[in-house]
Amino acid sequence: MARQGGGGAQEGNPIGYNMTPKAPGTGRPQPLPPEVPGPVDKISPMQLNYIGNQSIASASGRTLPVIDPSDGLAFDELQRSDAADIDAAVSAARDCFEHTWHKVSAAERGRLLYRLSQKVAEHVDELALLEQRDCGKPVKQARADALALVRYFEFYAGACDKLHGETIPYQDGYSVFTWREPHGVTGHIVPWNYPMQIFGRSVGGALAAGNCCVVKPAEDACLSLIRVAQLAAEAGFPPGALNIVTGLGQEVGEALARHPGIDHISFTGSPRIGTLIQQVAAERHCPVTLELGGKSPQIVFADADLNAAIPVLINAIVQNSGQTCSAGSRVLIEQSIYEPLLERLGHAFESLRVGPAAMDLDLGPLIRQTQQQRVWDFLSDAHVAGIPMVAQGVVVDEAPQAGFYQAPTLLRDVPVDHRLAQDEVFGPVLAAMSFRDEDEAVALANATHFGLVAGIWTENGARQFRMAKRVKSGQVFINNYGAGGGVELPFGGVKSSGYGREKGFEALYGFTTLKTVAVKHG
Ligand code: NAD
């Protein structure tokens, strides 16, 4: 028998949603794949910071445990760094920028990034295994993330020597042109949900533009990034070009954002911490790129190709167990197809299986117990508000009790002002609501303080364009959904989803500053 709903410690679990009996056999577990020899153990027993191409313990000597979300057990240790370690990393980066990196030509930066992409490609299995263990990612997702990292470095390798300035027509007797210059030392604060992907898009762009980087990974997701920095050194990056300092957000993240030697901050994370970063950066007028949260709508009109839409709608909320900033967490359905589409989505949800990362099921565990509790709190509130549940997937019996599991859950008739329709759950919970016409669809889609991604499903070409224009978001997908899309596509939000763009060529403008040079020659 499989367990219904949330797994792990049951305290606080909204059991009201976990009582639907399942047909026998629907929760049949899949066999565990054979044991993979552990590169995880090769770099254990303790992870060190990576500064100036050297593995270095934190100045304080304090450490943090590394927890496997699949079983809730600690299997490694990280450095619990502080301001002194950030100081060392910023010094190494500054030294590299001033004395080495700025002399490296754009073409040579491109070659180094390409060599790094090849190194990552050679280590995809190892990196995927690290994130599988560290973040609870099912094998397929962990591999997809490692392969995306390869693509980020490939893309930015090719972009290095194509970042041009312009000439500007001005008064007679003048020549005016612009240079795109790197900021200098850039700080990167990375969340835990897609460590390799977010590192790739942020650090890849910053290095390509000629900056040196200091990176603070999330405390729950450091292992792969420490390893990538080692690979960068092997690829030939000079000491100080790429530095990793691990630790807690309020200790080491804030020290990075406050450091006067940081010339630009790229922050990806929650809107709450995004506000703190802006306040800290404002004190010294440091430019910031903010990639924050989302409550992205998928809008399904009655003329949509539902066979194409349904698997995409499901994947957009269950990928990475719903811990995706651009998760399609609201499905807005035209009234005439509301009931039949909910029925089909419900069947699909019931077939979803959740289990340990190594089992490579539809979903792995959530990242940590507090995240699991957060999802339970949302579901409890929904239960109290009488929001009906359509269907839930299944947590398999092999899932250890102490792991952080949550069955994917489909809820219907969610009132637009309920927190389930307004706030990020950051878990596999899909909120469905219906609309009568285009105007109501737009009003619902725009009725949150977020604006990251939107999906529009309709075969009507004119409506596709009208909707794409009226929906407030940084990306719009029509008859597909990319959860951020490929590495080439500029990504970022409006409203509380942040500002600035990463990914694609556009990111390079954010990682450079523009200098205008006016020459009077008569
Ligand atoms: P978070 O804001 O808690 O943490 C993000 C990072 O900030 C971590 O590295 C953390 O250690 C650090 N941090 C925490 N407190 C800090 C402080 N006081 N000063 C400086 N740094 C600090 O977010 P999270 O829980 O790790 O990630 C989930 C959030 O990130 C969600 O809101 C999600 O939507 C968002 N996110 C956005 C994108 C995007 O591209 N828009 C991508 C992934 C995640």
Side-chain angles (χ1 to χ4, degrees):
M1 269 291 283
R3 298 203 304 270
Q4 310 298 313
Q10 295 301 301
E11 195 186 335
N13 191 347
I15 53 165
Y17 284 132
N18 299 323
M19 295 168 70
T20 323
K22 291 273 179 258
T26 53
R28 194 171 55 242
Q30 298 180 5
L32 279 167
E35 282 273 302
V36 187
V40 169
D41 297 330
K42 263 199 243 159
I43 55 170
S44 289
M46 190 191 287
Q47 307 296 323
L48 301 176
N49 289 329
Y50 204 68
I51 299 175
N53 285 359
Q54 288 187 328
S55 297
I56 296 178
S58 62
S60 70
R62 291 188 300 174
T63 60
L64 293 167
V66 182
I67 311 284
D68 182 343
S70 291
D71 60 16
L73 299 176
F75 65 96
D76 205 340
E77 281 180 285
L78 282 175
Q79 300 305 301
R80 181 173 168 180
S81 312
D82 58 26
D85 306 293
I86 285 293
D87 218 26
V90 175
S91 294
R94 175 65 55 194
D95 194 49
C96 180
F97 181 73
E98 301 292 348
H99 300 113
T100 312
W101 197 232
H102 84 274
K103 296 183 200 150
V104 176
S105 69
E108 184 55 22
R109 287 201 305 273
R111 279 184 213 110
L112 284 168
L113 274 165
Y114 187 67
R115 278 209 287 278
L116 178 54
S117 76
Q118 291 176 310
K119 282 269 170 205
V120 174
E122 287 160 17
H123 292 80
V124 160
D125 290 339
E126 176 189 350
L127 291 166
L129 189 58
L130 287 170
E131 284 208 356
Q132 181 190 315
R133 193 87 194 273
D134 200 12
C135 311
K137 284 182 188 270
V139 181
K140 275 193 290 298
Q141 182 66 50
R143 278 187 61 80
D145 288 5
L147 290 168
L149 182 61
V150 175
R151 270 296 292 142
Y152 276 114
F153 289 144
E154 272 176 3
F155 179 86
Y156 285 115
C160 287
D161 55 1
K162 294 160 192 77
L163 185 59
H164 302 152
E166 293 177 324
T167 54
I168 300 172
Y170 190 53
Q171 298 169 19
D172 187 38
Y174 283 82
S175 287
V176 180
F177 55 90
T178 58
W179 281 327
R180 289 230 156 248
E181 297 182 334
H183 293 289
V185 177
T186 50
H188 304 257
I189 301 179
V190 178
W192 44 262
N193 57 342
Y194 291 92
M196 281 191 279
Q197 292 216 35
I198 291 166
F199 174 90
R201 77 183 191 202
S202 173
V203 169
L207 287 171
N211 301 283
C212 291
C213 305
V214 179
V215 180
K216 205 251 16 115
E219 41 274 46
D220 298 296
C222 297
L223 304 190
S224 56
L225 304 193
I226 295 170
R227 187 70 186 113
V228 174
Q230 294 166 352
L231 294 176
E234 287 176 26
F237 278 81
L242 173 57
N243 309 277
I244 311 278
V245 183
T246 65
L248 300 176
Q250 63 273 31
E251 292 176 358
V252 76
E254 198 169 324
L256 177 62
R258 279 193 190 284
H259 199 289
I262 292 292
D263 301 313
H264 176 277
I265 301 167
S266 160
F267 174 79
T268 306
S270 60
R272 186 177 70 83
I273 304 297
T275 303
L276 292 179
I277 298 288
Q278 289 176 91
Q279 288 165 345
V280 166
E283 284 172 20
R284 56 191 179 83
H285 308 290
C286 178
V288 179
T289 301
L290 288 180
E291 299 276 4
L292 307 178
K295 190 75 195 176
S296 298
Q298 296 253 31
I299 308 165
V300 190
F301 286 92
D303 66 345
D305 176 350
L306 296 186
N307 291 334
I310 287 170
V312 180
L313 296 176
I314 302 283
N315 188 56
I317 186 63
V318 304
Q319 176 180 317
N320 210 39
S321 298
Q323 303 168 121
T324 304
C325 53
S326 46
S329 53
R330 294 184 292 152
V331 59
L332 315 181
I333 305 172
E334 191 165 0
Q335 215 164 42
S336 62
I337 58 162
Y338 191 55
E339 296 302 334
L341 180 53
L342 279 184
E343 194 178 335
R344 291 180 67 179
L345 287 172
H347 287 313
F349 262 70
E350 283 174 355
S351 70
L352 294 167
R353 296 286 166 271
V354 189
M359 286 181 75
D360 204 16
L361 303 178
D362 303 303
L363 293 87
L366 300 172
I367 188 78
R368 58 172 117 83
Q369 201 278 326
T370 51
Q371 193 65 23
Q372 188 186 37
Q373 186 63 51
R374 177 184 168 86
V375 179
W376 289 350
D377 289 346
F378 270 94
L379 292 177
S380 292
D381 283 0
H383 190 49
V384 169
I387 295 173
M389 187 194 77
V390 179
Q392 265 192 323
V394 171
V395 179
V396 298
D397 283 343
E398 287 75 3
Q401 283 294 325
F404 312 132
Y405 298 97
Q406 172 59 48
T409 304
L410 173 61
L411 302 169
R412 59 174 290 165
D413 311 340
V414 178
V416 65
D417 55 353
H418 192 273
R419 65 190 284 243
L420 255 171
Q422 291 292 324
D423 297 335
E424 266 187 311
V425 178
F426 229 53
V429 180
L430 180 58
M433 46 194 95
S434 70
F435 63 84
R436 284 181 302 272
D437 54 23
E438 251 177 73
D439 285 344
E440 194 179 9
V442 171
L444 283 174
N446 292 340
T448 76
H449 54 281
F450 291 114
L452 195 55
V453 178
I456 295 164
W457 295 86
T458 176
E459 295 294 301
N460 179 328
R463 182 192 278 148
Q464 292 171 355
F465 281 88
R466 279 197 302 273
M467 290 297 295
K469 272 197 180 296
R470 296 179 70 190
V471 168
K472 291 187 169 51
S473 65
Q475 284 189 331
V476 177
F477 290 92
I478 295 169
N479 293 337
N480 72 103
Y481 195 80
V487 307
E488 308 85 348
L489 310 186
F491 180 70
V494 296
K495 303 197 279 182
S496 294
S497 293
Y499 53 78
R501 294 292 178 264
E502 290 189 344
K503 306 177 69 165
F505 204 81
E506 185 71 23
L508 299 178
Y509 301 128
F511 285 119
T512 49
T513 181
L514 193 74
K515 184 179 277 174
T516 305
V517 182
V519 184
K520 185 172 182 188
H521 42 64

